[in-house]
Amino acid sequence: IDIRENGENISPEKSVLINIHSHLAEIPEKDLAIDLFGEVYECLASKKTKSLLGEYFTRRHIIQAIVRMFFSEDDIENIVEYKKMIGDPACGTGGFLTESFKYIKEYCQKKTRLDITNLASEIIIGYDINANNIGRTRINMTLAGDGFSDIQRYNTLSTPWYNENKKVE
């Protein structure tokens, strides 16, 4: 991996970003009460840039509440058993997909002891027009314990994005 900081190539051992990442990776997910990636993006992305792109990023605590209100235990059982799809046609950085995955994962660990890593690749799909957001969503899903979901770049308002093989319900 070529790493550039301040315009020059450096070794991974000397990279400030890799050093920060390695320290953060040591923190158990349950102890990290914030969406770190989302918070960093919110700070780095200017309001003007987000406005020009028509982007709005829902805060993680709001997403968590919506996901918990939206999915009942019966819904989660159906998602797991019948592989019902969870789709977001304008996923941004994947907040709703990530929190849905975490909620299903938590349910499966408590109730079924089912490893849903493979299940996630079959049921979670996300689309966004911004290629940068697709990368961010993939990173968020990986940090949540998935990383294999179908996250793609599409303008769901103007291009045919419906895939017969992955029917969103």
Side-chain angles (χ1 to χ4, degrees):
I1 299 173
D2 291 332
I3 301 171
R4 295 181 62 83
E5 288 182 12
N6 296 325
E8 60 185 67
N9 286 332
I10 60 170
S11 68
E13 300 83 34
K14 293 182 180 178
S15 170
V16 173
L17 292 176
I18 289 180
N19 191 17
I20 290 170
H21 179 270
S22 66
H23 287 296
L24 291 174
E26 294 173 5
I27 301 171
E29 184 181 328
K30 64 181 175 60
D31 295 339
L32 197 58
I34 61 167
D35 167 26
L36 184 63
F37 191 81
E39 293 296 325
V40 170
Y41 181 71
E42 284 291 317
C43 292
L44 295 178
S46 70
K47 288 183 180 182
K48 183 178 180 182
T49 300
K50 290 188 284 187
S51 177
L52 287 171
L53 296 172
E55 295 177 335
Y56 175 78
F57 294 90
T58 308
R59 295 295 211 187
R60 198 53 60 126
H61 66 283
I62 295 170
I63 294 171
Q64 289 171 344
I66 291 170
V67 166
R68 280 159 172 66
M69 286 188 312
F70 188 75
F71 291 123
S72 69
E73 277 196 24
D74 290 340
D75 292 328
I76 295 176
E77 287 175 13
N78 285 329
I79 289 167
V80 172
E81 186 173 344
Y82 302 111
K83 296 185 176 37
K84 299 252 181 177
M85 300 297 296
I86 298 172
D88 189 342
C91 66
T93 58
F96 282 98
L97 297 175
T98 304
E99 289 305 318
S100 296
F101 174 76
K102 286 179 180 178
Y103 194 51
I104 293 167
K105 182 178 176 181
E106 178 184 305
Y107 172 84
C108 288
Q109 288 172 339
K110 287 180 182 174
K111 303 279 184 168
T112 67
R113 304 282 185 219
L114 174 70
D115 177 15
I116 69 161
T117 302
N118 292 330
L119 178 68
S121 67
E122 299 173 2
I123 65 167
I124 295 179
I125 59 174
Y127 303 113
D128 200 274
I129 191 171
N130 185 335
N132 291 329
N133 285 343
I134 297 305
R136 292 177 184 111
T137 299
R138 288 180 180 149
I139 290 169
N140 274 335
M141 292 301 291
T142 301
L143 293 173
D146 170 39
F148 302 103
S149 297
D150 186 9
I151 312 296
Q152 297 182 29
R153 182 174 184 229
Y154 287 113
N155 179 350
T156 55
L157 296 177
S158 65
T159 60
W161 60 277
Y162 179 81
N163 181 340
E164 288 293 330
N165 298 325
K166 294 215 174 198
K167 186 176 177 184
V168 181
E169 296 191 26

